Each structure stands twice: as C-alpha cells, then as structure tokens.
Amino acid sequence: MTFETKKLSQSEKILLAASECISTRGYANVSMRDIANEAGVVLSQINYYFNNKEGLFKEVIKMVVDKYKHEIEEILKAENSPKERIKLLITHFKKTLKNNPKFIKLLYEFTELALWSPAFSDLLRNLYKELSEIIEKYILNNLQFKNKKEISTKSISRLIIGSLFGTGIQVLLENDGDDDRLNEVLDAMQMLFE
C-alpha cells in the first residue's frame, strides 16, 4: 500500500508522518515532537488539527484502514472467478509483506493498540469485520465447499484473515529473507480453495 504524492495539506502531512513514524518505531516510541519533525510542522499544528496523540492516531488508523479496505476490494474486483480472487488476495499480501513490511507492521501496531485501548478497538474491529465481509462477498459466496459440517462463510473468511496476518507475523519475526518458506505457507492456503 502506498500513498499518492500530491500537494498535501498540513493535516495530511501530519497523518503521513505519523504513519511513517509508527511503522518505523512503534507507537510507544514515537512522540508528538517526532511526528512534527517528520512532517515539517510545529508541534502546535498537531494539537490544532488533532487535539492530542490519541486523536491523531485515530485519524491515522482511519486513513490507513480506509485505504487498505479499498485497495483489497479493488484487487478482488479485477477477477470474476472466486479461485482467481483468492490467488490475487494471497499474491497481494505476499507482495505487501515483501515490498512494504512497514505497512504490515503498522497494521499490527494498530491491532496491539486496539487490544488495550477502547479508544482504538472499534476502529480495528471494523477493519477485520469489513475485510471479512469483502472476502465473503468476492470469494466465498460463490464457492462450493465439501463441508460435512456447516461452517459459515464468515468463519472461513475470518480464518483466511487470521492465516494471512499470522503468517505475516512469523515472517517479520523470522526476517531471514526466506521467501520460499513464505510462498510455501501462503500457497498451502491457496490450495485449500482449489
């Protein structure tokens, strides 16, 4: 996921700087002054636009979450076949994990914040809920499963999201550059839909 560069307003500069700082250093290690320096603004501008660190981070989460959901939906619309769509989803995740690990780290950082802070939990709950709904809509609703027990498509979509992000955590922690292992794990998920 990348953000288009255009003439940015002060608030957009601050949001992008905050997302960069968080993805590089983590929420706990980032101060408002760090963000102001990264954005090239004075500290009071952050308070003017966002009131406080929590307000700023909520807006960063909204920005990243909205862009990511839109990106995933657009990718899945590119194909008609549910099996091809799951391939696109997995391929996109592989590329993002390899080429933009800071973005994946940002999602993990937001998720960790949501686990401990009610102020952030609704935002992340909605992200995972809406990603699940997108997967159901574009992939699972048109697939026939050899399912002896009735397992809902909602449960399967949550399993897909959990598998992608769980694998991502393992890859980032291992950080040994073993792309073959990543490909093997994610290809195994893809095989489940063939």
Side-chain angles (χ1 to χ4, degrees):
M1 183 172 114
T2 58
F3 292 95
E4 297 168 6
T5 54
K6 58 178 174 115
K7 286 201 170 207
L8 299 174
S9 69
Q10 292 293 79
S11 63
E12 290 171 322
K13 285 180 187 177
I14 294 167
L15 289 171
L16 291 176
S19 70
E20 177 65 23
C21 288
I22 298 165
S23 69
T24 304
R25 294 177 245 164
Y27 173 83
N29 299 317
V30 173
S31 70
M32 296 288 270
R33 185 162 309 284
D34 294 333
I35 294 166
N37 290 341
E38 179 78 21
V41 301
V42 294
L43 189 57
S44 62
Q45 285 183 303
I46 295 176
N47 291 324
Y48 173 78
Y49 288 109
F50 304 103
N51 294 325
N52 55 33
K53 191 174 185 180
E54 182 179 294
L56 171 61
F57 283 20
K58 280 183 180 179
E59 290 304 314
V60 171
I61 291 170
K62 287 178 191 175
M63 174 188 71
V64 170
V65 162
D66 288 345
K67 183 134 179 80
Y68 190 62
K69 288 185 303 192
H70 178 74
E71 188 175 283
I72 295 299
E73 190 159 21
E74 289 303 310
I75 286 166
L76 295 180
K77 284 181 183 178
E79 273 295 334
N80 291 326
S81 160
K83 290 180 182 180
E84 289 302 314
R85 286 176 172 165
I86 191 72
K87 286 180 188 177
L88 285 176
L89 178 67
I90 292 169
T91 299
H92 176 70
F93 190 80
K94 284 182 198 178
K95 285 180 183 176
T96 304
L97 193 57
K98 182 176 181 176
N99 300 328
N100 194 2
K102 287 199 291 188
F103 172 73
I104 300 296
K105 288 179 182 179
L106 194 59
L107 285 177
Y108 293 141
E109 188 73 24
F110 294 158
T111 302
E112 193 261 336
L113 281 171
L115 290 171
W116 298 106
S117 172
F120 299 110
S121 62
D122 283 344
L123 295 170
L124 270 293
R125 187 179 309 113
N126 288 336
L127 167 65
Y128 293 117
K129 178 181 176 274
E130 290 174 27
L131 284 177
S132 176
E133 289 168 354
I134 290 168
I135 290 170
E136 282 183 89
K137 177 180 178 181
Y138 289 99
I139 297 172
L140 300 176
N141 285 340
N142 298 314
L143 278 178
Q144 297 295 322
F145 290 100
K146 296 173 187 169
N147 185 4
K148 296 191 189 244
K149 294 182 180 180
E150 283 301 314
I151 299 173
S152 70
T153 54
K154 180 178 183 173
S155 294
I156 296 169
S157 68
R158 293 173 80 181
L159 177 67
I160 291 169
I161 293 166
S163 297
L164 288 173
F165 285 97
T167 300
I169 287 172
Q170 293 174 49
V171 168
L172 290 172
L173 289 174
E174 291 171 4
N175 196 19
D176 60 5
D178 190 349
D179 290 341
D180 291 338
R181 197 169 11 166
L182 167 64
N183 288 331
E184 183 180 339
V185 171
L186 293 174
D187 289 345
M189 183 191 320
Q190 190 173 313
M191 285 177 21
L192 297 173
F193 294 92
E194 293 177 352

